[in-house]
């Protein structure tokens, strides 16, 4: 069914605790997997920050009795830069308050060239206003000058997003398509993307997926293991983590304000190394994440709530050119550890 074009309005400065209400959503299912897919809306959307792509924010994906992407924060506060601990609760900023596989085009387009008060482009968000001469800050909530033209089409097991945007001031323009689809007969979700450069300037950025995995609300700890297809080399291993050949594990359950973050190195120049497995032996569940483009970086970020393995891919598109990429999520179960 074709939904009407969504009106994406300028983002206001005042953002209250109700900012993370569900807003418009599409619920999809293939009989094995079901998920909520949040739709872009500048007034009532679940995510209205200027950091992550507004298309295809996923939450509460359920498979075989497991919830992979429940909400990991308790409230949203515009006075917070990233997130803060409040006893047993976590408060997040509008730019961080997102769930599930959440993608960000890390490098904004035209920011350095824009003068204070001028405009620049954040793919998947829109044309933003540069506030001052300070360096770009992905945690800052920028004014949305033009959210572009969004269209959304939903079927029972998929949602397709299209964003068309042009910024005469910077010369950037694009046609961005993204589909979130559950594969028929499989416990699998596929994110398919294409980005066409319709502007006058080359698009150069890096896109990564934050992958806010919060499996059954279990904090990262020794029951989790992260597997890669390559030997991990040269990594600076932080406290509470350990590297074992091709694996990263935890030496304790993260609690309080514990944080484990590290760059993961050792991958090669081929897409076959974009192959990540995250398993929890106590829950008896896991997910495999594969991509069809070579990696440029992998980063692990984890706190007492989500465990995020972030794969990065470089994007360079000349005017008139197009770039496509795909990420596949396979959800599975395994024998539980009944110690």
């Amino acid at each position: 069914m074709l939904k009407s074009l969504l009106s994406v309005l300028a983002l206001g400065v005042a953002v209250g605790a109700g900012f993370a209400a569900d807003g418009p959503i599409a619920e999809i299912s293939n009989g094995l997997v079901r998920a909520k897919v949040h739709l872009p809306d500048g007034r009532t959307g679940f995510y209205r920050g200027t950091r992550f792509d507004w298309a295809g924010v996923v939450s509460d994906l359920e498979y075989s009795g497991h919830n992979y992407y429940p909400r990991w924060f308790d409230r949203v506060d515009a006075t917070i830069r990233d997130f803060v601990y409040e006893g047993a609760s976590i408060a997040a900023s509008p730019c961080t308050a997102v769930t599930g596989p959440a993608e960000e085009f890390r490098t904004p387009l035209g920011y350095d060239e824009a003068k204070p008060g001028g405009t620049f482009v954040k793919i998947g968000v829109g044309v933003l206003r540069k506030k001052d001469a300070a360096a770009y800050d992905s945690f800052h909530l920028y004014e949305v000058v033009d959210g572009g033209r969004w269209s959304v089409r939903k079927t029972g097991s998929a949602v397709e997003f299209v964003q068309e945007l042009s910024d005469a001031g910077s010369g950037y323009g694009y046609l961005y398509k993204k589909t979130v689809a559950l594969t028929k007969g499989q416990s699998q979700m596929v994110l398919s993307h294409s980005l066409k450069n319709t502007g006058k300037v080359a698009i150069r950025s890096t896109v990564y997926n934050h992958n806010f995995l919060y499996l059954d609300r279990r904090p990262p700890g020794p029951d989790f293991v992260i597997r890669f297809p390559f030997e991990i080399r040269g990594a600076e291993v932080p406290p509470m983590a350990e590297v074992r050949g091709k694996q990263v594990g935890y030496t304790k359950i993260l609690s309080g304000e514990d944080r484990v973050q590290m760059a993961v190195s050792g991958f090669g120049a081929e897409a076959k190394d974009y192959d990540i497995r995250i398993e929890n032996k106590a829950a008896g569940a896991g997910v495999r994440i594969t991509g069809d483009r070579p990696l440029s970086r992998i980063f692990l970020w984890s706190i007492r709530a989500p465990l995020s393995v972030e794969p990065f891919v470089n994007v360079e598109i000349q005017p008139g050119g197009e770039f496509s990429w795909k990420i596949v999520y396979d959800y599975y179960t395994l024998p539980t550890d009944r110690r």
Side-chain angles (χ1 to χ4, degrees), residues 15-163:
V15 182
F19 186 76
D22 274 351
I25 63 170
E27 296 194 24
I28 58 175
S29 174
N30 66 356
L32 295 173
V33 179
R34 56 195 303 265
K36 294 179 181 178
V37 182
H38 297 274
L39 309 182
D41 189 294
R43 283 190 184 276
T44 62
F46 169 71
Y47 184 75
R48 284 169 280 154
T50 53
R51 178 183 176 188
F52 292 105
D53 174 8
W54 286 19
V57 173
V58 176
S59 68
D60 295 314
L61 183 146
E62 297 179 357
Y63 167 66
S64 191
H66 299 284
N67 189 338
Y68 283 77
Y69 310 122
R71 195 172 305 183
W72 60 272
F73 54 91
D74 300 283
R75 71 181 188 90
V76 181
D77 188 334
T79 66
I80 296 170
R81 180 176 182 271
D82 188 6
F83 72 95
V84 296
Y85 300 101
E86 299 178 328
S89 299
I90 297 175
S93 74
C95 286
T96 298
V98 72
T99 58
E103 294 177 277
E104 179 189 3
F105 290 83
R106 184 80 171 187
T107 308
L109 308 179
Y111 183 88
D112 292 339
E113 295 79 9
K115 296 179 179 180
T119 60
F120 66 100
V121 171
K122 186 83 172 189
I123 299 171
V125 181
V127 179
L128 309 183
R129 179 86 63 197
K130 183 174 180 176
K131 182 180 179 182
D132 50 36
Y136 173 73
D137 180 0
S138 62
F139 297 102
H140 178 76
L141 187 64
Y142 292 92
E143 176 193 353
V144 179
V145 178
D146 180 6
R149 184 171 61 182
W150 283 97
S151 61
V152 177
R153 182 166 59 184
K154 178 188 178 298
T155 64
S157 59
V159 186
E160 178 190 72
F161 300 86
V162 178
Q163 185 193 29

Side-chain angles (χ1 to χ4, degrees), residues 104-310:
E104 179 189 3
F105 290 83
R106 184 80 171 187
T107 308
L109 308 179
Y111 183 88
D112 292 339
E113 295 79 9
K115 296 179 179 180
T119 60
F120 66 100
V121 171
K122 186 83 172 189
I123 299 171
V125 181
V127 179
L128 309 183
R129 179 86 63 197
K130 183 174 180 176
K131 182 180 179 182
D132 50 36
Y136 173 73
D137 180 0
S138 62
F139 297 102
H140 178 76
L141 187 64
Y142 292 92
E143 176 193 353
V144 179
V145 178
D146 180 6
R149 184 171 61 182
W150 283 97
S151 61
V152 177
R153 182 166 59 184
K154 178 188 178 298
T155 64
S157 59
V159 186
E160 178 190 72
F161 300 86
V162 178
Q163 185 193 29
E164 299 177 72
L165 183 137
S166 179
D167 179 29
S170 66
Y172 287 100
Y174 62 81
L175 176 64
Y176 178 42
K177 297 181 181 180
K178 178 176 179 180
T179 302
V180 180
L182 301 177
T183 305
K184 183 178 180 180
Q186 298 183 50
S187 53
Q188 182 182 85
M189 179 175 70
V190 180
L191 306 184
S192 302
H193 317 71
S194 69
L195 181 64
K196 183 175 182 179
N197 186 346
T198 60
K200 300 178 180 179
V201 187
I203 291 174
R204 295 183 178 90
S205 189
T206 302
V207 62
Y208 77 99
N209 201 311
H210 204 297
N211 288 315
F212 288 95
L213 177 69
Y214 193 18
L215 179 56
D216 294 339
R217 296 187 176 274
R218 294 174 182 263
D223 286 330
F224 275 99
V225 62
I226 306 165
R227 307 180 193 275
F228 300 95
F230 52 84
E231 294 285 334
I232 300 170
R233 305 181 191 280
E236 184 175 340
V237 183
M240 298 174 285
E242 58 182 1
V243 170
R244 304 184 295 267
K246 300 179 180 180
Q247 302 179 9
V248 177
Y250 295 84
T251 59
K252 70 177 290 287
I253 297 175
L254 302 193
S255 61
E257 297 190 10
D258 289 343
R259 184 181 302 197
V260 169
Q261 55 186 29
M262 61 179 284
V264 177
S265 52
F267 55 87
E270 298 179 10
K272 65 181 179 63
D273 281 345
Y274 194 147
D275 189 341
I276 303 156
R277 292 178 184 263
I278 308 169
E279 299 175 348
N280 185 291
K281 58 188 177 183
V287 58
R288 182 185 184 189
I289 308 169
T290 53
D292 65 350
R293 291 285 184 174
L295 293 159
S296 62
R297 184 180 186 228
I298 303 176
F299 194 77
L300 168 63
W301 178 89
S302 48
I303 58 174
R304 72 181 191 214
L307 187 168
S308 298
V309 180
E310 306 169 6

